[in-house]
Amino acid sequence: MAATVVPEDAPDRGALILDRLFADASRRRCVTHVEHVPARVGTRVPWPVWADPVLVSRLRAAGIDEPWSHQALAAEHAHGGGSVVLATGTASGKSLGYLMPVLSDLLAQASARALYLAPTKALANDQLRAVRALNLTGVRAATYDGDTPASERDWVRAHATFVLTNPDMLHRGVLPSHRRWAAFLRGLRYVVVDECHGYRGVFGSHVAQILRRLRRVAARYGSTPVFVLASATVSDPGRSAGRLTGLDVEVVEDDASPRGATRFVLYEPPLITPWQPPAPPEPSRPRPYPAGRHPAGTQPAGSEQPAVQSTPSMQPRRSAVSAVVAPAPAGMGPAGQGESSIHGHAGASVRRSATAEASDLLADLVADGVRTLVFVRSRRAAEVVAQSARRALSDVSRDLVDRVAAYRAGYLPEERRALEADLRSGRLLGVAATNALELGVDVTGLDAAIITGYPGTLASLWQQAGRAGRNGQGAVAVLVARDDPLDTYLVHHQEALFGRPVEATVLDPDNPYVLGPHLECAAAELPLTEADLDLFGPVARTTVDDLVRRGRLRRRPAGWYWTHRHRPDVDIRGVGGAPVRIVEASTGRLLGTVDAATSHSTVHCGAVYLHQGSFYVVIEFDLDVAVAFVEADTPDWTTWARERTDIRVLDVARSRTVGEVALHLGTVEVSSQVVAYQRRQIVTGRVVGEEPLDLPARHLRTRAVWYTVTDGLLAEAEIDEDDVPGAVHAAEHAAIGILPLFATCDRWDIGGVSTALHPDTGRTTVFVYDGHPGGAGFAERGFLRGEPWLRATRDVIAACECAAGCPSCVQSPKCGNGNEPLDKPAARRLLEAVLRRLDPVGAGRDTSS
């Protein structure tokens, strides 16, 4: 075995960037911790004896003299006929681990076929480029996705030996038309599932059932493909991969690739003082929240909403920076305010937004010639960061302005391809991107990664940080904290980031809301048989019986048949229907798309829409045809949608009662409706108007965890009747912000409702629910870890230095009622009283220090 050493100058590159970036004392004061991730040598091994010699020669010509040992080990497992998951770090060369056996077999057998599944089109196109660059005439590789012209699809089905697609196209385009794919399926030898750690929650459960449908259809054509999965470093990758595929999977997780030194910076933006309104009349006594409190016994309308209402998505790609997603206005003024723009109590100190800080960091890095990728949480934020950085760079060099761009979903295919090419070539020095560029796109030579807000999981955090330094050089990664309880907690508790194992990928293929529709799809593809039920899991039999009772399937001697002429309609990403098209009214030009689930918040009539640095205002939103018509404008305000939410308890699965506190897990129905929007000035955040909206309500049946408290406990916590709504509302916001620390989820995957008196419980109640039909397991993790979850919630409130509540503790970036009412001191007293019942030993232990 030969050892490869990282270049000696790699660590110095990161140190130089760090010194220049934080040369200013005021910026250095925002750094809470710098973690040094040391360089690592790599271990190479000889090429496998079975590897095709032409392939090996092409790889050597591309600069790969020998594979790393983990690549060779995974390739040996796959070539030997065993399914395998390769779970190693970012930029560890996982693609070579599956390309060795796949391409060798395609070159050796003319009838062999392989299928590659990627979570994004960008990654599939990147892999296609890499395969074609090897110039292997015996391998006919092609993408098959929504961007593939109809004229090319027949060629792909008939002639391609290596088809690169995504789970959506497999679900909607390949499996329903399997007879047209008969030759391909008959020769199917390998199925590659790239970036499989991204298939989690409800989306992951859908993908698991799609893979079972693929295995079933392939078996009917006589093939039993080997599954090769590539994953970021996760906890227990074998179990996760096994649940995803339904197979026993070998695990390769010892990373033998070299790595340059990385300096990982935790950065908390500074406090600022927001706009001051005219002084109101002096109140009789100070209150911790504005007037207009809800009377006891009513639900505050400010209950926090999930990113998606009726059929949410698992993708962590939407956030409050979207032009009109409740609640934070996305600033575009000179200060570049964005994610947590000024929306707190008048005169209270809030932190400068993470997007504003990221914009400044990006501009400084680009000015120094540092190739930088900024990850943001929303499409809107990508536009904001790129535009703010370009504006700052215009004072330095006009040439640099054109070397910064935004990259996000919703762009047209040709726009995305051009941006990807410019980023790879180095023409672009700085890119602000959503997590579409988190997953595997091979961009070498990047020097820095800026992560704007904790992305929800450690796996995603390390994926994004690993985009920098991909050619073995030293690099810098910066986590810029949002004004959010979890971000605040993490930048002051570095051990929660650097001392923890990466999470396991959580998915539940047996979720009946997922399994039932896929059994319908399977029956529509080929009649279901008794033998098929084992493939679909232990609850398939009862689910099939239920579908028969409901008239969805019909039993015949040969099996179960789909009863309708139309195909089952299953939305695997939970986006609630077809994307809404954004059309410029004056020209008919298609600007982009937005998913249906967030369209009520983002493209309602009057909403501000931002596309590639240009502002538009929605003049008409046609729900029937899923089109939002816009016209170009330059408003000095942005829009903020307001939502109303109700929740109903349908059943209680598990409960635990300790004195005056009861903790429950069960099924609920959440009803939400966008009822109005506010116009807020960009620079000051001041509300300049509110308009009602007439949009239909959306309903979500899901799982929730909730706790109830008695009037006696409220009295013990010294919470007056008038203060109850503010106390429970603040406690709800903080609990939602902290739950991702205990469950593999994102704040945008969950929602909450708090009420002083709920009709179904008869008590003061705080709900936190999964933002996905049928649930995704997040609420259950909250129930199982109730004491540490609520203790961390109490701790983050106690540790925050603000007096009346801020986005770092109890204000929410997606509150549908503008963060009113909120009572931070009362929320802390409430949680302390709750913990004295649930966790009397640890109640007084403060984990915030």
Side-chain angles (χ1 to χ4, degrees), residues 325-338:
V325 170
M332 288 293 298
Q337 290 126 334

Side-chain angles (χ1 to χ4, degrees), residues 12 42 56 68 166 201 264 273 323 349 354 356 402 437 440 448 503 526 543 597 633 667 705 747 788 809 820:
D12 293 337
V56 171
W68 308 116
N166 51 62
F264 205 130
T273 301
S349 291
D402 295 331
L437 284 182
E503 310 92 345
L526 291 165
T543 306
D633 203 345
T667 303
V705 55
R747 182 169 193 148
C809 56
E820 297 178 8

Side-chain angles (χ1 to χ4, degrees), residues 578-734:
V580 173
R581 291 165 292 165
I582 314 297
V583 175
E584 189 173 28
S586 59
T587 64
R589 180 169 63 103
L590 178 65
L591 297 178
T593 61
V594 64
D595 60 81
T598 59
S599 62
H600 287 210
S601 303
T602 56
V603 291
H604 57 74
C605 191
V608 174
Y609 179 75
L610 181 62
H611 182 79
Q612 291 196 340
S614 299
F615 282 104
Y616 299 85
V617 173
V618 179
I619 59 174
E620 182 184 354
F621 180 27
D622 192 325
L623 287 168
D624 294 332
V625 296
V627 175
F629 294 97
V630 301
E631 60 182 12
D633 203 345
T634 55
D636 61 354
W637 41 265
T638 186
T639 44
W640 176 343
R642 295 174 67 95
E643 299 198 49
R644 182 176 59 218
T645 299
D646 296 303
I647 193 165
R648 184 162 62 97
V649 176
L650 301 180
D651 68 59
V652 179
R654 301 175 68 177
S655 294
R656 187 156 60 89
T657 301
V658 184
E660 296 92 337
V661 178
L663 187 66
H664 303 280
L665 175 71
T667 303
V668 298
E669 183 180 75
V670 182
S671 301
S672 61
Q673 184 178 19
V674 176
V675 296
Y677 72 94
Q678 291 181 341
R679 290 192 299 273
R680 295 191 169 211
Q681 285 186 342
I682 288 173
V683 176
T684 67
R686 183 165 62 93
V687 176
V688 294
E690 180 165 321
E691 299 291 337
L693 291 169
D694 183 21
L695 291 168
R698 291 164 292 177
H699 303 281
L700 170 67
R701 186 183 176 108
T702 187
R703 300 278 278 180
V705 55
W706 66 94
Y707 64 89
T708 65
V709 299
T710 65
D711 291 343
L713 186 135
L714 293 172
E716 176 190 319
E718 300 179 347
I719 301 174
D720 296 336
E721 186 178 7
D722 287 349
D723 297 337
V724 172
V728 294
H729 194 194
E732 170 216 328
H733 282 182

Side-chain angles (χ1 to χ4, degrees), residues 6 12 96 137 187 225 287 307 336 343 366 368 432 497 532 535 568 816:
V6 176
D12 293 337
L96 184 59
T137 55
R287 299 294 298 169
H343 60 95
V366 169
D368 276 345
L497 293 175
D532 292 331
L535 176 66

Side-chain angles (χ1 to χ4, degrees), residues 510 515 519 528-549 553 555 559-560:
D510 299 325
L515 176 60
L519 288 172
L528 279 168
T529 67
E530 288 282 353
D532 292 331
L533 296 185
D534 288 341
L535 176 66
F536 288 100
V539 300
R541 161 66 70 176
T542 56
T543 306
V544 163
D545 291 343
D546 180 64
L547 293 172
V548 171
R549 282 193 298 271
L553 297 181
R555 180 71 189 264
W560 290 271

